Amino acid sequence: MAARKPVEEVDQVAIRFAGDSGDGMQLTGTKFTEATALVGNDLSTLPDFPAEIRAPAGTLAGVSAFQIHFASRDIRTPADHPDVLFAMNPAALRANVDDVRRGGMLIVNSDAFTPRNLKQAGYDDDPLPALQERFQVVEIQLSTLTRKAVESVGLRSREAERSKNFFALGLVCWLYNRPTEPTERWIESRFKKNETLREGNLRALQAGHAYGETTELFPVSFFVPRAKLEPGVYRNITGNQALAWGMIAASELMERPVFLGAYPITPASSVLHEVSRYRHFGVKTFQAEDEIAAVASAIGASYAGMLGATATSGPGFVLKQEALGLAVMVELPLVVLNVQRAGPSTGMPTKTEQADLLVTLYGRSSESPMPVLAPSTPGDCFYTMLEAFHLAVKYMTPVAVLSDGYLANAAEPWRIPDVETLSRHPIRFRTDAKGFAPYARDAETLARPWAIPGTPGLEHRIGGLESEELTGNVSYDPRNHDRMVRQRAEKVARIANDLPPVEVNGPDGGKLVVVGWGGTRGAIEAAVDEARRDGTSVSSIHLRYLNPLPADLRAALERFEHVLVPELNLGQLSRLLRAEYLLPVESLTKVEGQPFRVEEIRGRIEAIAAGGGSE
């Protein structure tokens, strides 16, 4: 019996799987992520796939990739550069090889490096010999090995070829000592009605694992020890899952059913799909015929006493603006979720961006302010959604939640909260007819009462025309309009009284503070922490509340000489902070459809620290 190969312990690893859209790279990455979560590593992922349903095979346009960064310590990003690239064909190699760290490992399916495929990817010659100077290149006849592994099962040639992602998964599970049992159980369940496919995929997975142990191409395997996470029960979670679960939890904690009206749109569609799986919790989902019908149905649900919500992405969010203006006017609680993507128009639907901030603040007609919240991690999506529903009901206003494509699809270990620690806010509708007026306002919040239609003695009218103060009757009186506009604006402004103090990561004053919002948090805090360890005076502030801004934000920013705002747009938050506080805010922008790399933010931090300032 051959001796078991040595195992080398490493602190962290970043792996990227890349291939055609039909090669199953997202599935491969997801299953590897699940196995890694079970081992107990901290992790962060970056799925990256094309918008086309099926681009031509072997082309750069059709390349789909999934990157996972896992470690024995706390990490915040999917890593700037993968240590390992598993490329299923020349196009996958060409699209990704420049991202791999020098000295990293390239595992390639040599069967795919045919003259036709090389030409289709834009290579004149085989690039692998030249790449051996920069990387550890491991060539594997992946297609041939997979077909041999499953040939006795009876799979057709095409089906056998499609099993190669499981061979690749088994190999990488061996290489980094990940368990294959969870994937085996998934295959058993997923293909239980097709014995041939089930057996073929299982054999491919097991053959890949055995190949790693027996081949001389890999003299050692690697192991990343368990991370020292805060004690508790964890599960792997994506941002869209967390948003959906936040809606369901809000229904339970507020003791009212959630109604989600939505129209499918990338990358928000999975929120509707996920919520619809939990109807036994009393939530109701409605797939509308278009975006306008979706938001209108949610407003109707709120009018009837439910927790109305609607989910979309940028193009759909724009279509909802007139209806959102109605929600502002009638002052009904509503949560509108925008999972931002690269635009304008159809743009790059599967790529991330955070350029919908200004349209969220100012995209409706007239003066129609809405509170705006933005989660910063996949797990934070859950708590942001809970807070959005609470504020919507407390202040009787629509609330916008700005997630983004990176958060939507990225995964991280999420500590499942103790339900008893979550704040309950059961809704109390107005039922007393004595002194009732539909626009009588609470002295503290300026919220109007929420009265369910049909409650005896509380008959009232609300609508899109301007309402008379107190009565809600239609009014064209100029002074009444001025008062109502100011009251609606003041109501939103008073939310600042509910917001916690600004948290500063690092010293609360000094040379530089980096301010961010949304999914940029991981890259910002990693860059700031690295720079501070190297002696640079820098701190960071990450904003969940974008309207209203925290009451103490001005004072926090004024304690620093420089304010830098990295964001995935052309400087929208920077513009707001300059206008609000008259501070010389510096902007770092990126609109490539990809999240920030730590090195990009770190570079600007060092330039400012050295006196370079704005670029």
Side-chain angles (χ1 to χ4, degrees):
M1 182 176 178
R4 180 177 171 81
K5 293 180 180 179
V7 178
E8 181 179 322
E9 185 174 304
V10 293
D11 177 58
Q12 62 176 340
V13 177
I15 302 173
R16 184 180 298 179
F17 300 93
D20 271 331
S21 296
D23 283 338
M25 294 296 92
Q26 301 307 313
L27 175 62
T28 304
T30 298
K31 293 305 166 188
F32 188 83
T33 298
E34 291 172 358
T36 297
L38 288 171
V39 171
N41 297 128
D42 195 14
L43 64 88
S44 179
T45 69
L46 177 61
D48 188 14
F49 43 89
E52 290 78 13
I53 294 175
R54 189 70 174 93
T59 63
L60 294 176
V63 173
S64 175
F66 188 107
Q67 182 162 316
I68 173 173
H69 181 201
F70 55 103
S72 60
R73 55 177 174 79
D74 178 48
I75 56 172
R76 297 185 176 93
T77 74
D80 288 358
H81 301 285
D83 302 292
V84 179
L85 171 64
F86 202 127
M88 302 295 248
N89 59 27
L93 178 69
R94 180 162 189 174
N96 294 280
V97 68
D98 289 340
D99 291 339
V100 182
R101 69 165 178 82
R102 189 173 185 86
M105 183 184 296
L106 303 182
I107 306 175
V108 299
N109 175 17
S110 58
D111 284 338
F113 279 67
T114 63
R116 179 179 180 276
N117 287 347
L118 289 169
K119 182 178 180 181
Q120 206 163 16
Y123 285 121
D124 294 326
D125 300 299
D126 186 351
L128 297 179
L131 290 174
Q132 291 175 358
E133 299 177 6
R134 295 162 49 198
F135 308 106
Q136 304 172 52
V137 179
V138 181
E139 299 182 46
I140 298 175
Q141 292 179 298
L142 186 64
S143 300
T144 299
L145 290 169
T146 303
R147 286 194 294 268
K148 287 182 178 179
V150 304
E151 61 184 356
S152 64
V153 176
L155 287 179
R156 295 190 297 270
S157 176
R158 182 179 179 84
E159 292 172 334
E161 176 72 14
R162 291 179 63 183
S163 297
K164 67 181 182 291
N165 66 317
F166 284 110
F167 191 103
L169 177 58
L171 172 59
V172 179
C173 281
W174 173 85
L175 188 59
Y176 288 96
N177 286 273
R178 310 287 98 176
T180 58
E181 289 80 9
T183 303
E184 290 171 1
R185 289 194 295 269
W186 180 85
I187 292 172
E188 293 277 4
S189 174
R190 176 66 177 82
F191 299 102
K192 62 183 177 182
K193 294 183 179 180
N194 189 322
E195 183 177 348
T196 302
L197 282 179
R198 184 185 71 234
E199 187 62 25
N201 288 326
L202 282 172
R203 289 198 185 186
L205 178 72
Q206 293 159 356
H209 194 277
Y211 181 77
E213 182 64 50
T214 56
T215 182
E216 296 181 0
L217 294 173
F218 300 101
V220 300
S221 65
F222 304 91
F223 180 69
V224 179
R226 175 185 294 269
K228 295 176 181 175
L229 302 174
E230 182 181 356
V233 179
Y234 287 79
R235 65 151 294 145
N236 200 45
I237 196 171
T238 67
N240 275 4
Q241 282 179 316
L243 290 166
W245 296 352
M247 290 187 189
I248 297 161
S251 175
E252 291 290 304
L253 295 171
M254 303 180 83
E255 300 177 7
R256 292 299 298 171
V258 162
F259 175 95
L260 174 61
Y263 179 77
I265 183 172
T266 302
S269 299
S270 61
V271 176
L272 174 62
H273 302 160
E274 186 71 10
V275 174
S276 68
R277 296 176 56 211
Y278 294 92
R279 292 176 184 169
H280 54 285
F281 278 100
V283 296
K284 293 178 172 58
T285 55
F286 170 55
Q287 181 173 317
E289 66 268 27
D290 56 43
E291 298 283 4
I292 298 172
V295 65
S297 67
I299 294 173
S302 291
Y303 180 61
M306 300 178 72
L307 295 172
T310 186
T312 188
S313 188
F317 186 70
V318 171
L319 290 171
K320 296 179 188 291
Q321 293 304 313
E322 183 180 2
L324 292 177
L326 171 64
V328 170
M329 176 65 84
V330 299
E331 301 185 48
L332 281 169
L334 175 74
V335 173
V336 53
L337 168 63
N338 179 357
V339 185
Q340 301 164 96
R341 72 189 203 188
S345 188
T346 308
M348 299 191 295
T350 60
K351 309 303 180 183
T352 194
E353 204 167 88
Q354 48 177 183
D356 294 349
L357 177 56
L358 293 182
V359 73
T360 305
L361 291 171
Y362 307 120
R364 293 162 299 286
S365 63
S366 188
E367 298 285 346
S368 50
M370 284 173 48
V372 181
L373 282 66
S376 59
T377 67
D380 187 45
C381 288
F382 175 84
Y383 297 101
T384 303
M385 189 60 71
L386 287 182
E387 188 165 12
F389 277 104
H390 172 56
L391 292 176
V393 171
K394 181 175 180 179
Y395 288 88
M396 290 294 286
T397 178
V399 175
V401 174
L402 291 181
S403 182
D404 57 61
Y406 166 60
L407 291 179
N409 298 309
E412 68 174 3
W414 180 58
R415 185 170 178 265
I416 301 173
D418 181 350
V419 174
E420 298 305 318
T421 66
L422 300 176
S423 299
R424 292 188 172 272
H425 303 284
I427 294 172
R428 299 290 180 257
F429 297 105
R430 177 65 183 259
T431 57
D432 182 10
K434 185 177 180 181
F436 170 74
Y439 283 94
R441 298 191 180 277
D442 179 85
E444 177 189 356
T445 65
L446 297 185
R448 73 174 189 86
W450 194 2
I452 296 180
T455 305
L458 301 186
E459 294 82 1
H460 63 283
R461 63 183 292 175
I462 57 175
L465 292 171
E466 183 58 279
S467 304
E468 183 181 58
E469 191 173 18
L470 295 178
T471 69
N473 295 330
V474 174
S475 173
Y476 291 93
D477 178 75
R479 290 183 176 83
N480 176 78
H481 178 55
D482 185 87
R483 284 195 301 273
M484 294 296 281
V485 167
R486 293 180 188 277
Q487 286 175 2
R488 290 189 289 264
E490 175 63 18
K491 179 174 66 170
V492 173
R494 288 191 183 188
I495 292 176
N497 298 329
D498 275 0
L499 305 185
V502 168
E503 292 185 11
V504 181
N505 170 34
D508 64 359
K511 177 78 172 180
L512 170 65
V513 63
V514 184
V515 180
W517 67 281
T520 58
R521 181 171 192 158
I524 289 174
E525 292 191 349
V528 166
D529 290 350
E530 283 184 10
R532 197 161 52 241
R533 284 195 296 269
D534 290 343
T536 303
S537 174
V538 59
S539 301
S540 66
I541 293 173
H542 212 78
L543 299 175
R544 173 185 281 185
Y545 312 99
L546 299 168
N547 190 43
L549 293 166
D552 60 341
L553 181 58
R554 176 198 291 272
L557 298 181
E558 288 177 343
R559 292 194 291 267
F560 294 88
E561 296 178 36
H562 297 271
V563 178
L564 173 66
V565 180
E567 47 187 332
L568 300 178
N569 55 51
L570 295 182
Q572 296 188 14
L573 179 60
S574 301
R575 186 177 293 112
L576 289 173
L577 295 181
R578 291 189 197 109
E580 187 72 19
Y581 303 130
L582 301 180
L583 293 173
V585 176
E586 302 178 33
S587 189
L588 172 60
T589 64
K590 178 177 178 177
V591 282
E592 299 175 1
Q594 296 293 323
F596 275 110
R597 290 177 173 171
V598 175
E599 64 190 14
E600 293 170 330
I601 300 173
R602 176 78 189 273
R604 180 61 71 84
I605 289 173
E606 297 303 335
I608 294 174
S614 301
E615 293 184 0

